[in-house]
Amino acid sequence: DAGITQSPRYKITETGRQVTLMCHQTWSHSYMFWYRQDLGHGLRLIYYSAAADITDKGEVPDGYVVSRSKTENFPLTLESATRSQTSVYFCASTLARSGTGTYEQYFGPGTRLTVT
Amino acid sequence: GQQLNQSPQSMFIQEGEDVSMNCTSSSIFNTWLWYKQDPGEGPVLLIALYKAGELTSNGRLTAQFGITRKDSFLNISASIPSDVGIYFCAGPYTGANSKLTFGKGITLSVRP
């Protein structure tokens, strides 16, 4: 299906475990983003990527790792999950157009992660 | 840093009523975006504004890019139950292509 998908949609894991959240988009968008959404904090940027093999930290990167070997995929890994990482995680993407700022981000359906 | 302010945190209206919400910033923005998030789903882009003073409609939704470039407004006319959700404004970080900063959102409830 065209668009942006995330998997799994729900995940329960234990403290200290490694967990990877997947994001896949079919638009060939250059930019991809990972956000977490928590009550009282809104959407906070974790990491973003301007293209394959180019990633950068956002507002709250600690405890997370990303990679982007292919344009269409942008996995987010929690190397050693903590309870404070219980949250809803959203992936988004943007088509970058040369010469203009392109800001229209399109979001996936989210992954609800619980760390026990 | 750049912050977008949305208030109040929650709004309660009667079905059929119009509702207006705004988003303000102490910084100038060159783009304003409005998103809606349904319960259990990801945010969906409603309207994008790229020019000061611009007024854009999408069905019953109308959004305006403030003349000062420090605010934007979203109006929903003749509300219906499916308008329930969280409405976010967003704008680009200064000098950083494609990164957005988001307001904390307004939760809209519609009483039938």
Side-chain angles (χ1 to χ4, degrees):
Chain A
D1 288 344
I4 184 165
T5 56
Q6 294 183 238
S7 62
R9 290 295 310 275
Y10 302 90
K11 176 74 177 177
I12 300 174
T13 192
E14 295 178 341
T15 299
R17 298 254 187 181
Q18 182 180 84
V19 60
T20 296
L21 310 183
M22 304 301 293
C23 178
H24 175 78
Q25 52 103 355
T26 61
W27 293 309
S28 298
H29 283 178
S30 299
Y31 280 82
M32 296 187 74
F33 307 83
W34 274 106
Y35 295 90
R36 60 178 290 174
Q37 185 177 36
D38 306 285
L39 274 174
H41 291 281
L43 288 160
R44 291 184 291 176
L45 182 65
I46 304 170
Y47 268 96
Y48 68 104
S49 168
D53 298 321
I54 301 174
T55 62
D56 208 347
K57 295 178 180 179
E59 184 184 352
V60 289
D62 293 344
Y64 303 95
V65 174
V66 293
S67 62
R68 194 163 175 212
S69 57
K70 292 184 178 181
T71 300
E72 61 266 30
N73 297 322
F74 190 36
L76 176 74
T77 298
L78 288 66
E79 293 188 301
S80 179
T82 65
R83 289 195 182 88
S84 65
Q85 292 177 309
T86 292
S87 186
V88 182
Y89 291 85
F90 290 101
C91 179
S93 70
T94 296
L95 174 65
R97 299 189 185 96
S98 62
T100 65
T102 301
Y103 307 108
E104 298 173 21
Q105 291 186 17
Y106 297 91
F107 284 78
T111 294
R112 185 174 295 273
L113 176 68
T114 301
V115 182
T116 63
Chain B
Q2 295 173 283
Q3 288 188 337
L4 295 179
N5 302 305
Q6 293 185 264
S7 66
Q9 195 172 358
S10 302
M11 299 180 77
F12 298 86
I13 61 172
Q14 200 75 32
E15 183 177 357
E17 288 182 342
D18 298 346
V19 62
S20 182
M21 52 188 79
N22 70 340
C23 183
T24 62
S25 172
S26 58
S27 306
I28 288 174
F29 280 80
N30 293 317
T31 299
W32 289 92
L33 305 171
W34 284 93
Y35 286 86
K36 183 197 176 195
Q37 184 178 21
D38 289 332
E41 301 294 331
V44 173
L45 181 65
L46 297 174
I47 294 176
L49 302 162
Y50 286 98
K51 188 176 177 182
E54 179 182 357
L55 189 71
T56 297
S57 293
N58 178 5
R60 293 179 295 104
L61 276 59
T62 301
Q64 183 163 23
F65 192 138
I67 290 292
T68 66
R69 296 199 287 164
K70 292 183 177 182
D71 56 12
S72 178
F73 307 88
L74 178 70
N75 296 302
I76 305 173
S77 63
S79 59
I80 59 177
S82 62
D83 290 333
V84 164
I86 306 174
Y87 291 82
F88 294 97
C89 61
Y93 276 79
T94 301
N97 198 21
S98 295
K99 279 170 58 180
L100 293 176
T101 184
F102 287 83
K104 291 190 176 177
I106 294 176
T107 300
L108 180 66
S109 299
V110 180
R111 289 186 287 257

